[in-house]
Amino acid sequence: MKKILIKNIKGLIQVGEDIPTVIKGKSMNQLPIIEDAFLAIEHGEVVAYGPMEEWHGITDWRDLEVIDATDKYVMPAFVDAHTHTVFAKSREEEFVDRINGLSYEEIALKGGGILNSARRLGEMTEDELYENAKQRIERMISYGTGALEIKSGYGLSVDNELKMLRVIKRLKESMPIVIKATFLGAHAFPKEFKENHQGYIDLIINEMLPKIEAEGLADYIDVFCERNYFSVEQMEQILIAGQKYGLKPKVHVNQFSILGGIQKAIELHAVSVDHLEEICQEDIDALKKSTTIPTILPSCSHFISIPFGNARWMMENDLPVALASDFNPGTTPSGNLGFVWSLACVKMKMTPEEAFNALTINAAAAMELSETHGRIALGRRSPIVITKELPSLAYIPYAFGDMHIERVII
Ligand code: NIG
Ligand code: FE
């Protein structure tokens, strides 16, 4: 593979040999940067970086691509630790229903929402799902995403959950970025189990999990713990079963209501607890005693008009915060983390630096990629992003909706 030298970089961001694997509280406002820098990559690995004046020239020009990054920033690609990128069709009819006054929860109770997506997914082949998801991921990469978690959860039957997970496995094998798979059979109760919730939970535990393990289809297990979905007790049952198959929890909690799901997930060693639009002091206290990463999804709040997660309160309590897209057809039809960066600044009052740490270092921790992703350091293979010519780094979240990325190197 060829060598790449990027020179005259206006700012080389999130770079260094002793950046911690998780950044908490006040430290989130610090972002290591080398101004007027160079970065050298060989065989996909960082081999040297530093200020331009420390660059000693090139001895071997063979197979070398030189990129001039004058007035441009170079940074590690974003990590998207919570997505539902494999899905059937878009759901803009529900978007219009919401404009006309229905809430997300009301639409779901009418048979829309997750059950709507599950119906449609049942009608699609593995190949169609794969092709659609592949195009979405290519677009996400062009927006600067360099690693991705993808959940199942629109199958809701043994066959269709396995179908989704096989699509994710195929994406893992064929796409150039790292992808991790999360089994979210417990996303909603299918119609047939409306009066028999335990029956569906038994299906997850006794039928789905053994098959998922046999084919090596998942890294994590998720449950949508929420009123009208899965209770804390039901989540516990499912997560404990998942752990027997080696799946660590990464869960949907506190999107609409506070049920105690955060505490339970922490007790079960969740890697991350995600959403957190609603949160209370007990949740904060539990997070402080854990290594679980609180992950906030601002484009979901934006799109379905619910509160934004209280990142400032978390950081005041010396917690780390991660940000992710939640890309899905119902609550977040966008996988653009540049927009998430902007929302985090405008709506959650995170500084550009805090939000960038949340999208890189802490997001990498939220999908256990701290060893490889989220920072630029010697020997690392994290995908990197070269921006367009920009007046400052803060210009990216400031000038929202514009495309600021020129190139992504994987
Ligand atoms: O994270 N809240 C649960 N799951 C998704 C939405 C699923 C859907 O509406 O299709 C979320 O927002
Ligand atoms: Fe989600």
Side-chain angles (χ1 to χ4, degrees):
M1 200 202 273
K2 72 169 181 264
K3 298 174 283 184
I4 298 174
L5 170 69
I6 312 175
K7 60 175 190 172
N8 301 327
I9 303 168
K10 177 169 183 165
L12 182 61
I13 311 287
Q14 201 67 296
V15 59
E17 297 309 304
D18 37 42
I19 301 175
T21 50
V22 175
I23 307 196
K24 300 178 182 183
K26 281 196 179 67
S27 317
M28 284 187 70
N29 201 27
Q30 282 153 31
L31 195 56
I33 172 168
I34 303 175
E35 286 167 2
D36 192 19
F38 76 94
L39 174 67
I41 299 169
E42 233 176 273
H43 307 295
E45 207 174 278
V46 172
V47 291
Y49 63 81
M52 276 307 281
E53 73 248 23
E54 283 177 18
W55 177 54
H56 298 302
I58 295 167
T59 49
D60 182 3
W61 288 82
R62 280 170 298 180
D63 223 4
L64 177 74
E65 179 186 359
V66 180
I67 301 171
D68 186 352
T70 301
D71 289 330
K72 299 171 184 175
Y73 290 88
V74 172
M75 52 200 197
F78 303 126
V79 172
D80 200 342
H82 180 135
T83 86
H84 309 249
T85 303
V86 174
F87 57 85
K89 302 256 159 56
S90 55
R91 298 202 324 244
E92 53 272 34
E93 64 288 350
E94 295 178 8
F95 165 62
V96 176
D97 283 346
R98 267 197 311 281
I99 294 170
N100 288 320
L102 289 184
S103 71
Y104 178 79
E105 288 179 288
E106 285 163 343
I107 292 165
L109 289 172
K110 285 202 318 176
I114 296 165
L115 295 185
N116 183 359
S117 278
R119 232 172 4 251
R120 292 170 173 183
L121 186 128
E123 294 157 7
M124 284 176 74
T125 64
E126 230 173 273
D127 283 346
E128 286 173 304
L129 288 167
Y130 170 81
E131 275 309 319
N132 292 353
K134 178 172 175 277
Q135 284 172 24
R136 287 178 202 125
I137 295 170
E138 282 163 357
R139 209 163 57 238
M140 291 161 98
I141 293 172
S142 76
Y143 296 153
T145 295
L148 189 63
E149 181 256 19
I150 309 178
K151 300 171 193 298
S152 70
Y154 292 126
L156 309 184
S157 68
V158 178
D159 286 350
N160 287 332
E161 279 298 310
L162 290 173
K163 176 162 87 176
M164 279 193 85
L165 289 167
R166 288 185 191 123
V167 170
I168 301 171
K169 188 174 186 182
R170 237 172 106 184
L171 293 164
K172 274 186 176 196
E173 288 161 359
S174 62
M175 298 307 288
I177 59 171
V178 172
I179 294 174
K180 292 211 179 178
T182 300
F183 169 51
L184 176 55
H187 201 187
F189 288 103
K191 257 215 189 77
E192 315 82 90
F193 290 93
K194 202 168 172 224
E195 306 303 330
N196 178 18
H197 285 178
Q198 190 56 43
Y200 184 59
I201 294 170
D202 290 343
L203 193 75
I204 290 176
I205 295 175
N206 301 326
E207 306 267 339
M208 297 186 195
L209 279 172
K211 295 198 168 76
I212 289 165
E213 185 192 40
E215 287 186 48
L217 291 176
D219 304 294
Y220 301 107
I221 183 160
D222 191 349
V223 173
F224 185 19
C225 180
E226 188 55 65
R227 64 183 173 218
N228 299 326
Y229 293 87
F230 291 79
S231 68
V232 175
E233 294 68 33
Q234 291 169 332
M235 174 179 80
E236 179 175 23
Q237 217 185 323
I238 295 162
L239 295 184
I240 288 175
Q243 280 172 333
K244 295 202 180 106
Y245 293 97
L247 305 181
K248 293 187 196 171
K250 260 175 89 65
V251 292
H252 283 75
V253 281
N254 293 41
Q255 184 175 7
F256 302 106
S257 55
I258 298 176
L259 304 177
I262 294 182
Q263 284 93 314
K264 183 54 77 184
I266 287 172
E267 201 181 301
L268 296 169
H269 311 290
V271 174
S272 70
V273 284
D274 304 9
H275 271 288
L276 317 179
E277 288 86 345
E278 303 291 335
I279 193 157
C280 66
Q281 184 67 54
E282 289 74 39
D283 297 330
I284 297 276
D285 293 341
L287 283 164
K288 279 164 83 168
K289 290 191 212 112
S290 81
T291 54
T292 301
I293 307 282
T295 301
I296 300 179
L297 315 169
S299 39
C300 169
S301 297
H302 163 72
F303 189 69
I304 63 167
S305 305
I306 59 173
F308 285 82
N310 196 339
R312 287 246 67 87
W313 192 24
M314 293 178 198
M315 290 185 296
E316 277 158 23
N317 279 278
D318 200 34
L319 289 171
V321 174
L323 291 165
S325 74
D326 198 20
F327 191 15
N328 77 76
T331 69
T332 320
S334 159
N336 186 337
L337 287 176
F339 182 56
V340 168
W341 191 355
S342 191
L343 281 176
C345 296
V346 177
K347 299 293 181 183
M348 294 159 58
K349 303 282 177 249
M350 295 179 85
T351 64
E353 291 79 9
E354 287 166 343
F356 190 75
N357 276 313
L359 285 162
T360 53
I361 302 280
N362 291 347
M367 57 184 286
E368 296 183 297
L369 289 179
S370 301
E371 289 308 312
T372 48
H373 288 67
R375 76 194 65 200
I376 293 169
L378 294 175
R380 283 180 180 261
R381 316 180 66 89
S382 168
I384 61 165
V385 163
I386 305 175
T387 69
K388 295 181 179 166
E389 291 180 12
L390 298 175
S392 68
L393 191 70
Y395 187 83
I396 300 179
Y398 158 83
F400 72 91
D402 274 352
M403 183 62 177
H404 301 294
I405 289 170
E406 184 170 273
R407 182 166 167 190
V408 180
I409 299 175
I410 295 167

